[in-house]
Amino acid sequence: MDLQALEQELKSCQSCPLRGDAIAPVGWYGDPHSPIVFVGEGPGGVEDDYGCPLIGPSGQLLDKALWAVKMTRDRVLTTNVIKCRPQNNRTPDIAEADFCAKMWLERELEIIQPKVVVALGSVALHFLGNPNMRITRDRGQWFRTRQGFDCIATYHPAYLLRLTGRQLVAAKWDVFHDLEAARARTLQLAPDCKLMSEEKTDLFKLFKKRVNDYL
Ligand code: URA
């Protein structure tokens, strides 16, 4: 099975109640052969509208951070632990995350076989690592996922968007160093890969609002 076939299957997923509150599942975006995969939490309102992961405010901040470490969204792959937006953007619980990710995220990673996985925030860290891990304590440390992929966690961009002042500056530097470490490991394991295009990827040019398609 390839990613395209998996995406077709994902489109018709009705396997859990989260599907009922979303327009439709949101899959992944980027280079299907990327050696590095970024895993967020789950789609928010903008992602649900456009059918693209990490396209809203968190995604815009992620794009800036990636640009700072010489990566662009078209050259990497971004995805989420859960595929359907929970009502009111609430955080999915561990059982919901586990159920969805075993069905989709694990299969995506199995197909992609990335050299490096980056967990963005606690939900991704809890699924890719284990629920006892803490983002504030364990970010920036390499570990192996259950599937055997090299993984590093960093703060979710939505967390940065809630900070101000010194806390924000410190957290931004942490993210910068974590992303640099992820890039260095990727280039070490896949020396020929190209992680940056000449221009930032404009996701709003590539994706159109999909609300009406599903009404
Ligand atoms: N949008 C996503 O696609 N993922 C997140 O984790 C947050 C916002």
Side-chain angles (χ1 to χ4, degrees):
M1 161 141 341
D2 62 14
L3 274 188
Q4 265 185 342
L6 193 69
E7 191 165 28
Q8 282 311 314
E9 221 184 286
L10 172 63
K11 277 185 184 166
S12 56
C13 180
Q14 298 277 356
S15 306
C16 86
L18 291 183
R19 174 67 183 83
D21 298 322
I23 296 171
V26 175
W28 42 89
Y29 168 74
D31 179 354
H33 304 292
S34 173
I36 181 166
V37 169
F38 294 83
V39 181
E41 179 180 310
V46 187
E47 286 77 18
D48 197 26
D49 279 349
Y50 284 84
C52 171
L54 290 150
I55 189 175
S58 291
Q60 299 297 311
L61 184 56
L62 176 68
D63 288 3
K64 280 191 194 165
L66 291 180
W67 184 257
V69 295
K70 301 190 173 63
M71 291 191 250
T72 49
R73 286 286 290 277
D74 56 334
R75 297 278 176 182
V76 303
L77 190 132
T78 34
T79 187
N80 281 307
V81 173
I82 62 161
K83 305 307 187 202
C84 289
R85 179 194 182 211
Q87 212 170 26
N88 303 322
N89 285 345
R90 71 172 170 79
T91 305
D93 63 35
I94 288 184
E96 288 169 330
D98 228 58
F99 181 82
C100 185
K102 286 204 169 113
M103 196 151 195
W104 302 109
L105 177 63
E106 277 195 353
R107 286 159 76 203
E108 287 162 60
L109 295 173
E110 206 50 51
I111 293 169
I112 301 166
Q113 291 291 318
K115 302 287 186 213
V116 165
V117 177
V118 180
L120 301 172
S122 319
V123 173
L125 176 63
H126 291 163
F127 180 75
L128 292 164
N130 69 67
N132 297 322
M133 293 174 90
R134 293 285 164 263
I135 193 76
T136 42
R137 185 190 61 203
D138 298 319
R139 55 141 284 278
Q141 316 275 350
W142 288 97
F143 62 92
R144 278 272 157 96
T145 70
R146 278 178 287 190
Q147 288 172 285
F149 299 115
D150 274 356
C151 187
I152 191 169
T154 196
Y155 295 125
H156 193 286
Y159 170 70
L160 297 191
L161 289 172
R162 293 193 295 270
L163 296 178
T164 54
R166 280 189 190 176
Q167 272 191 315
L168 173 61
V169 175
K172 274 190 176 176
W173 277 112
D174 286 341
V175 170
F176 179 77
H177 292 306
D178 299 340
L179 295 181
E180 273 208 325
R183 180 175 185 273
R185 174 78 61 110
T186 306
L187 288 172
Q188 190 188 352
L189 298 171
D192 296 330
C193 72
K194 195 163 180 270
L195 297 175
M196 189 189 205
S197 293
E198 277 174 18
E199 287 182 8
K200 274 192 194 160
T201 315
D202 185 348
L203 293 172
F204 287 104
K205 261 195 187 158
L206 299 173
F207 288 84
K208 298 282 162 256
K209 269 199 176 194
R210 63 180 181 167
V211 180
N212 294 328
D213 301 349
Y214 289 84
L215 282 179

